[in-house]
Amino acid sequence: MGVFLPGSRGPGAARQVAPEPSASRPLVPAISGRAGAGPLLLPFAAAAVACCRGGAAREPAAGTREPPTRKRRVCTAGSRRQLARPPVGPPGEDAEARDLRSFQGYCIDAQPTESEKEIYNQVNVVLKDAEGILEDLQSYRGAGHEIREAIQHPADEKLQEKAWGAVVPLVGKLKKFYEFSQRLEAALRGLLGALTSTPYSPTQHLEREQALAKQFAEILHFTLRFDELKMTNPAIQNDFSYYRRTLSRMRINNVPAEGENEVNNELANRMSLFYAEATPMLKTLSDATTKFVSENKNLPIENTTDCLSTMASVCRVMLETPEYRSRFTNEETVSFCLRVMVGVIILYDHVHPVGAFAKTSKIDMKGCIKVLKDQPPNSVEGLLNALRYTTKHLNDETTSKQIRSMLQ
């Protein structure tokens, strides 16, 4: 498969190189955002060092260069293993340039291997519907006007019928969103099973199963986008509350209710709990991740938390390092990376016994928050709120005052 150098700005600027003879692909899963966002370069070779202890990647001392023959190493959970050297660069390239290119890795179109295809195809069926769900949510306008008219004129049967006729199809949409959350939960659990199984370490999994890592990131990207839209649309809960009140009144009066069969009482209760959450999709995925860990007691919890902390550290390094950030030609790629970073932090905080904010956490929370604060405020307020209100351990005594003040 053709591989494009990280500095490429398009197909015309690409230089094709021969693939590595090794059976494994470069340790750089490429995850992309929505169509048109462009590929997202993930320098796992550099960032995996930082993720192991939640610290920054060690760099050579000022004024020195690493010897050209020195092989890069990357931390895995409790051990180190050697990485293959990257392809030979252009003639005359010095050691410093080669080292930078090694850390940046290559931008590839992650395609599933034979061993990944079963899970990949199952998840892909779900992800194909994700953009349509977001479009429906973005265009959701609600029936606020009809509901107000019906409440203000309770004796006017025509207004009551008009409001009910406006709400029923909207509740059908809300049902579709809720059912999609259940499909997304099942997809996430399948990916977690594949990316945390023994005998491989989380870093090895992310190297071997790049297509699945990409899908994991796409699920988190969708989740944060969905919740951002939901939080800014109060019509969703207003419509559903009116639907339930009216349906209850119709039952008491023995009035046949169109649409009742579509959303029965049991489903309505579950949907009500779902939409009562400020970030319902994140809540669903957090619960699913916690359940996955509790149901797989034979699987070390570090397999899951190290996978999440690795992805968080990679996104942080990508965004705070000018050399990497300068490769982004589309702001949507930046947003994608920010959402993935916040998503894995929240999952980590729900799964890890002491959470993401403790000093022993493998996630550099100060660095991650700083990356968010360095963005335009209006573009990340929803993500900062997600850290403030949907994490589990932020207010624990083990959380430093500095981190708390950064999120105030």
Side-chain angles (χ1 to χ4, degrees):
M1 178 175 62
V3 182
F4 297 109
L5 291 178
S8 301
R9 293 289 178 176
R15 179 174 68 84
Q16 202 168 34
V17 296
E20 286 281 329
S22 169
S24 65
R25 290 170 285 173
L27 190 59
V28 188
I31 51 180
S32 59
R34 67 183 185 185
L40 179 60
L41 183 65
L42 290 185
F44 268 83
V49 176
C51 82
C52 290
R53 298 297 177 192
R58 183 178 58 82
E59 297 183 359
T64 65
R65 291 180 183 173
E66 292 194 31
T69 57
R70 181 175 177 178
K71 292 184 177 180
R72 295 179 295 116
R73 292 180 180 271
V74 62
C75 286
T76 56
S79 66
R80 289 178 176 267
R81 70 183 174 84
Q82 245 175 8
L83 294 175
R85 294 292 296 174
V88 177
E93 181 182 48
D94 62 21
E96 188 176 58
R98 182 170 63 249
D99 191 54
L100 175 61
R101 183 165 53 81
S102 300
F103 281 157
Q104 288 173 330
Y106 292 110
C107 182
I108 65 174
D109 180 19
Q111 296 297 320
T113 61
E114 283 301 318
S115 62
E116 294 173 90
K117 276 188 177 177
E118 183 179 356
I119 296 293
Y120 180 89
N121 290 337
Q122 292 172 6
V123 176
N124 200 43
V125 171
V126 179
L127 287 174
K128 280 182 178 177
D129 295 333
E131 198 62 34
I133 293 290
L134 290 175
E135 289 173 359
D136 285 347
L137 179 56
Q138 198 158 17
S139 63
Y140 190 100
R141 294 293 175 262
H145 174 72
E146 291 85 352
I147 291 172
R148 282 192 298 273
E149 289 289 309
I151 292 174
Q152 290 170 6
H153 304 89
D156 192 324
E157 288 300 323
K158 287 186 177 180
L159 289 178
Q160 306 306 311
E161 290 175 6
K162 185 178 180 181
W164 181 251
V167 165
V168 167
L170 292 174
V171 170
K173 280 189 176 184
L174 298 181
K175 177 190 175 186
K176 184 171 76 169
F177 299 160
Y178 171 75
E179 290 175 340
F180 186 78
S181 76
Q182 305 306 295
R183 295 172 60 200
L184 203 68
E185 176 184 353
L188 179 80
R189 289 167 65 85
L191 288 174
L192 284 172
L195 293 172
T196 61
S197 61
T198 55
Y200 301 111
S201 71
T203 306
Q204 288 172 320
H205 271 299
L206 293 172
E207 175 185 357
R208 293 169 59 89
E209 286 109 26
Q210 294 180 11
L212 299 186
K214 172 184 176 181
Q215 288 184 320
F216 189 92
E218 287 174 339
I219 285 177
L220 293 172
H221 180 235
F222 164 83
T223 297
L224 270 295
R225 289 177 68 197
F226 182 95
D227 286 345
E228 286 168 9
L229 291 171
K230 186 268 177 185
M231 281 193 291
T232 58
N233 196 338
I236 290 174
Q237 283 182 274
N238 293 339
D239 292 349
F240 196 65
S241 295
Y242 177 81
Y243 172 84
R244 297 202 72 187
R245 291 196 308 270
T246 305
L247 191 61
S248 177
R249 190 165 61 248
M250 287 178 169
R251 285 175 183 155
I252 292 172
N253 296 328
N254 293 319
V255 176
E258 178 193 353
E260 182 178 5
N261 293 333
E262 187 173 359
V263 180
N264 59 37
N265 197 49
E266 181 185 350
L267 178 58
N269 287 335
R270 295 201 304 270
M271 288 174 60
S272 183
L273 291 173
F274 176 77
Y275 287 112
E277 296 288 341
T279 53
M281 284 289 178
L282 260 178
K283 171 67 172 165
T284 298
L285 296 195
S286 298
D287 289 349
T289 307
T290 303
K291 189 176 180 181
F292 170 83
V293 170
S294 64
E295 289 179 351
N296 293 273
K297 297 187 184 299
N298 60 327
L299 195 67
I301 191 173
E302 291 79 13
N303 286 26
T304 303
T305 56
D306 285 358
C307 175
L308 299 172
S309 63
T310 298
M311 295 186 73
S313 297
V314 166
C315 290
R316 174 182 56 78
V317 171
M318 286 280 294
L319 291 162
E320 71 183 5
T321 308
E323 291 89 344
Y324 304 150
R325 180 68 176 262
S326 65
R327 308 301 186 197
F328 299 159
T329 58
N330 192 314
E331 279 303 308
E332 181 60 25
T333 306
V334 175
S335 298
F336 180 90
C337 204
L338 289 167
R339 290 186 184 111
V340 174
M341 181 182 74
V342 170
V344 291
I345 287 171
I346 292 169
L347 296 187
Y348 182 101
D349 193 58
H350 278 262
V351 171
H352 197 280
V354 298
F357 300 97
K359 288 183 179 179
T360 55
S361 168
K362 291 185 178 180
I363 297 178
D364 177 7
M365 283 306 305
K366 291 178 185 176
C368 292
I369 296 170
K370 184 178 183 303
V371 164
L372 287 166
K373 294 265 188 161
D374 286 342
Q375 313 305 315
N378 61 338
S379 68
V380 294
E381 190 58 30
L383 298 178
L384 288 168
N385 283 337
L387 291 179
R388 291 174 184 129
Y389 306 122
T390 65
T391 48
K392 185 178 180 181
H393 295 279
L394 175 61
N395 294 318
D396 288 2
E397 291 181 359
T398 53
T399 302
S400 71
K401 291 182 180 179
Q402 185 179 359
I403 288 178
R404 289 184 193 176
S405 65
M406 289 176 76
L407 283 175
Q408 284 179 351

